[in-house]
Amino acid sequence: MHRREDDGEAEVSSGAAAPDLNQLRTFLAVYRSGSFTAAARLLGLSQPTVTAQIRSLERRLDRELFARTPRGAAPAPFADELAGRIGEPLDALAEVAGHDLDGKAEPVHVAGPAEFLAHSVLPRLGPLVEKGVRLRFATGLTDDLLAELRAGRHDLVVATARPRGRALASVPLADEEFVLVTGASWAARIGGKGKVAADGPAVLHGVPLVAYAEDLPIVRRYWRHVYGRRLVCSPALTMPDLRAVKAAVVGGAGFSVLPRYLCLDELASGALVLLDDPDDPPINTGYLVQRPGSSDNPHVAVVRDHLLASVRAADV
């Protein structure tokens, strides 16, 4: 799925040429990624080439497709309609183009945090698997996974921070909000829901801390952001899986800070209690990062675009 850099310019000069697959694929990349720059990085094109292809397509269709905003490219109503018409056929064409002689494309290797993959990614992959896309998943910490991506072990990585530099193409995938929670028994012992919000975090003195890691990356960030102070505390229990941290807190092990999406059912049932509800909670943006050269396997683009559309739509 490599494209010549002069495709867009050729269309601009010809003017009357019919829209080709390159223009439509570029349109879909801009529509799904939310910006001309992000689409250019994902497609391996220059940003002016992407702009030229979109402008050429707009002239051919005699319709505005995108409006530039401070946050990227906002689709016009006609763009929503066009994406709905061409998205599935282009994905299917990419799938067919990716088949080798035995009818199977190479597996797509995806990696990221185990909790986010389990909650927000894996439940949305049924349509791809049904179409014959083969997937291989790995889990780990972002720095390690990005190093492995550069070494060629993964095609796509869900990263908890944007990679530094411009060597890796990345686009925002989802925001996760963090919440301060404890189990029902500890909530009752410290005075109930809202006690921390009313009296400050000092009321948690004596309550064991359950954390993802010894250096408390998530909890320390919450303390700095919400309370403007450094947390001085040692965890009573650590486990490098936020689902296990949640299970321990539900079971009465103490308090912790967790992504809200991971706690929705327990907060609704009362198994977890929200200890504070600040107006400006800590939010972390996850990014979908693609390995350079991975577009040689067209299924990578299919998986990437599917995740961008489905995970964003789920508003995790």
Side-chain angles (χ1 to χ4, degrees):
M1 293 181 68
H2 293 297
R3 293 169 178 74
R4 289 170 39 207
E5 285 288 312
D6 62 354
D7 282 348
E9 284 80 352
E11 290 298 326
V12 172
S13 62
S14 64
D20 62 13
L21 285 177
N22 284 339
Q23 290 178 342
L24 295 176
R25 290 189 184 109
T26 299
F27 159 76
L28 202 58
V30 175
Y31 183 85
R32 288 173 169 174
S33 68
S35 81
F36 284 65
T37 302
R41 298 180 68 184
L42 288 171
L43 294 171
L45 299 175
S46 68
Q47 192 272 340
T49 296
V50 169
T51 300
Q53 290 188 356
I54 296 300
R55 296 297 175 247
S56 179
L57 182 60
E58 287 180 322
R59 283 195 294 273
R60 174 58 184 155
L61 298 174
D62 195 26
R63 298 289 192 109
E64 181 185 27
L65 296 174
F66 299 102
R68 289 187 179 268
T69 71
R71 300 190 63 181
F78 181 75
D80 294 327
E81 178 186 342
L82 180 60
R85 294 199 334 249
I86 70 171
E88 187 173 346
L90 284 185
D91 289 344
L93 180 61
E95 178 187 351
V96 171
H99 283 272
D100 56 25
L101 293 178
D102 66 0
K104 292 183 178 180
E106 288 295 314
V108 178
H109 294 264
V110 185
E115 307 86 359
F116 186 83
L117 293 180
H119 180 276
S120 302
V121 173
L122 291 169
R124 297 178 172 85
L125 295 178
L128 296 183
V129 176
E130 185 177 358
K131 292 178 179 179
V133 177
R134 294 188 293 163
L135 297 155
R136 302 293 183 267
F137 280 87
T139 61
L141 299 176
T142 286
D143 288 345
D144 297 336
L145 294 179
L146 290 178
E148 293 169 357
L149 181 83
R150 293 184 179 95
R153 291 183 58 184
H154 312 302
D155 298 309
L156 298 167
V157 163
V158 177
T160 57
R162 184 189 291 274
R164 296 179 180 178
R166 299 182 178 181
L168 297 178
S170 64
V171 291
L173 178 63
D175 290 334
E176 54 181 3
E177 174 191 338
F178 291 102
V179 292
L180 179 64
V181 294
T182 191
S185 60
W186 274 110
R189 291 169 67 177
I190 66 173
K193 179 179 180 180
K195 185 67 173 176
V196 174
D199 298 340
V203 301
L204 292 174
H205 181 71
V207 182
L209 170 60
V210 183
Y212 180 88
E214 194 72 32
D215 60 348
L216 312 177
I218 299 174
V219 186
R220 288 186 189 280
R221 179 182 176 187
Y222 188 96
W223 245 247
R224 287 195 306 269
H225 185 92
V226 176
Y227 304 120
R229 66 185 72 174
R230 182 173 179 269
L231 175 66
V232 181
C233 184
S234 295
L237 186 159
T238 65
M239 176 64 185
D241 186 314
L242 293 176
R243 294 165 299 182
V245 171
K246 179 183 72 173
V249 174
V250 169
F255 77 95
S256 191
V257 174
L258 293 166
R260 182 182 288 272
Y261 73 79
L262 204 60
C263 305
L264 292 176
D265 291 342
E266 290 78 11
L267 288 171
S269 69
L272 286 178
V273 176
L274 191 66
L275 292 173
D276 204 346
D277 192 16
D279 293 333
D280 179 27
I283 291 177
N284 188 64
T285 299
Y287 294 85
L288 188 61
V289 188
Q290 182 172 340
R291 175 176 59 84
S294 61
S295 57
D296 290 341
N297 178 357
H299 279 190
V300 173
V302 173
V303 174
R304 178 198 68 212
D305 293 348
H306 180 80
L307 291 182
L308 288 173
S310 62
V311 174
R312 286 173 173 176
D315 192 24
V316 300

